[in-house]
């Protein structure tokens, strides 16, 4: 019997994974940590669906809206943070941020945290 006829179109055979190995963790130098005020993130996210993050591309301009941390490499702190307000840490590979910016639609980066 032909396997393709009875296979679901998204079915991946066990043989596909037979030589798979776990991914190597990224080195810390390949990560970026953006710390932004929670109120700023809330003001950007007008989505009805909870968990979807939408940020205007202009805000993610590191040189304009962030200061580089003196103590931690690859950590950038939004310039508009007050010391007594809630913050959000956005942590991802730098390549992922570059990809989000390159594929943004309507000058907005949108993703679900935890997506790769």
């Amino acid at each position: 019997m032909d396997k393709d006829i009875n296979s679901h179109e998204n079915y991946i055979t066990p043989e596909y994974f037979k030589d798979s190995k776990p991914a190597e963790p990224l080195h810390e130098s390949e990560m970026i940590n953006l710390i932004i005020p929670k109120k700023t993130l809330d003001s950007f996210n007008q989505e009805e669906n909870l968990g979807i993050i939408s940020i205007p591309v202009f805000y993610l301009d590191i040189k304009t809206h962030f200061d580089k941390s003196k103590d931690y490499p690859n950590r950038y702190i939004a310039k508009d943070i007050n010391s007594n307000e809630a913050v959000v840490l956005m942590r991802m590979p730098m390549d992922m941020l570059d990809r989000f910016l390159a594929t943004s639609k309507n000058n907005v980066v949108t993703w679900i945290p935890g997506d790769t």
Side-chain angles (χ1 to χ4, degrees):
M1 176 164 55
D2 186 0
K3 290 181 184 179
D4 292 333
I5 294 173
N6 295 317
S7 295
H8 187 275
E9 65 184 46
N10 295 323
Y11 176 75
I12 299 174
T13 64
E15 292 84 21
Y16 180 83
F17 294 105
K18 72 177 182 172
D19 295 323
S20 298
K21 295 181 177 76
E24 291 289 323
L26 292 176
H27 189 272
E28 188 61 30
S29 65
E30 297 178 66
M31 301 297 290
I32 189 165
N33 300 288
L34 302 175
I35 299 173
I36 65 173
K38 183 178 180 316
K39 69 177 181 185
T40 299
L41 184 62
D42 290 345
S43 73
F44 293 150
N45 286 304
Q46 303 302 321
E47 298 283 336
E48 294 294 322
N49 301 323
L50 296 176
I52 297 175
I53 296 175
S54 299
I55 300 177
V57 170
F58 79 86
Y59 187 80
L60 293 173
D61 181 359
I62 302 297
K63 294 176 185 167
T64 303
H65 293 104
F66 294 85
D67 290 324
K68 187 170 184 171
S69 171
K70 296 174 187 160
D71 299 323
Y72 300 97
N74 301 330
R75 182 178 293 177
Y76 297 86
I77 303 167
K79 294 179 179 180
D80 58 344
I81 290 179
N82 294 320
S83 61
N84 60 349
E85 68 181 316
V87 297
V88 174
L89 169 66
M90 294 176 19
R91 178 176 165 79
M92 68 186 82
M94 282 190 264
D95 287 344
M96 182 181 285
L97 178 60
D98 292 341
R99 203 171 332 126
F100 282 147
L101 293 172
T103 61
S104 66
K105 294 179 181 160
N106 300 321
N107 289 317
V108 174
V109 172
T110 302
W111 74 95
I112 299 171
D115 276 2
T116 55

